Amino acid sequence: MNPDLDLTLERIIRAPRTTVWNAWTDPARLERWWIPAPLACRVDRLDPRPGGAFVTRMSEGGADFAPHLDACFLAVDELERIVFTNAITSDWRPAHPAPVAMTATITLADHPDGTDYRVLIRHGDPESRAHHDKLGFADGWGTVTAQLAALTETTTR
């Protein structure tokens, strides 16, 4: 982790690692937590494998769904790690995503209380990191992580 380029979030989720993993890899479950409520999420493509697509849309107040994320998975290690970037589209084209280009690494590990859940967001330069932080990284990723925890802590598988 480079504090000049990266942002992080850590949380213990009181659910088995398999349940948290399934919430990341099952489109119906991902739609329930991936975007901060009250926005609605729709998963257009979710192919969790290296090179696979990660495309979501969002809607506010019942409006038409608009683009949210067009990304590509870089690494997927079952039950342990998911890495994706929005710097490459789901069709493997170079991208200039708004608000910032990033690479996200999600790691899951067993913890006595459930799952040790960690998010590492890498940026290409200090300005992008600062911009992402100023836009509300902690609130946005914190909110969706809380939604993930709420979903998985009440799910049995």
Side-chain angles (χ1 to χ4, degrees):
M1 194 263 188
N2 180 334
D4 295 329
L5 298 175
D6 305 333
L7 295 166
T8 62
L9 178 143
E10 297 178 18
R11 179 174 178 147
I12 302 303
I13 297 178
R14 296 180 182 284
R17 190 164 33 143
T18 302
T19 303
V20 177
W21 179 264
N22 291 340
W24 258 103
T25 58
D26 174 14
R29 291 179 189 174
L30 187 74
E31 286 178 346
R32 295 174 58 190
W33 67 269
W34 176 237
I35 295 177
L39 297 173
C41 177
R42 183 176 78 202
V43 174
D44 284 350
R45 295 171 63 198
L46 184 65
D47 186 8
R49 62 176 177 80
F54 185 12
V55 181
T56 59
R57 296 184 162 278
M58 64 182 176
S59 172
E60 184 171 4
D64 288 343
F65 280 86
H68 171 251
L69 177 71
D70 186 356
C72 179
F73 288 104
L74 301 175
V76 179
D77 302 317
E78 190 167 350
L79 298 173
E80 294 179 7
R81 180 177 72 144
I82 296 171
V83 183
F84 67 90
T85 186
N86 66 353
I88 302 169
T89 70
S90 57
D91 296 326
W92 294 12
R93 301 215 178 268
H96 301 285
V100 296
M102 65 177 186
T103 299
T105 301
I106 312 303
T107 56
L108 311 174
D110 288 332
H111 184 276
D113 294 327
T115 301
D116 183 355
Y117 181 81
R118 296 174 186 241
V119 175
L120 170 65
I121 305 297
R122 293 181 174 94
H123 301 88
D125 55 64
E127 295 77 21
S128 295
R129 182 219 180 269
H131 183 60
H132 197 181
D133 194 28
K134 184 178 178 182
L135 288 173
F137 164 81
D139 287 340
W141 280 85
T143 296
V144 298
T145 299
Q147 291 173 177
L148 170 63
L151 172 67
T152 58
E153 289 171 356
T154 60
T155 303
T156 57
R157 17 178 217 143

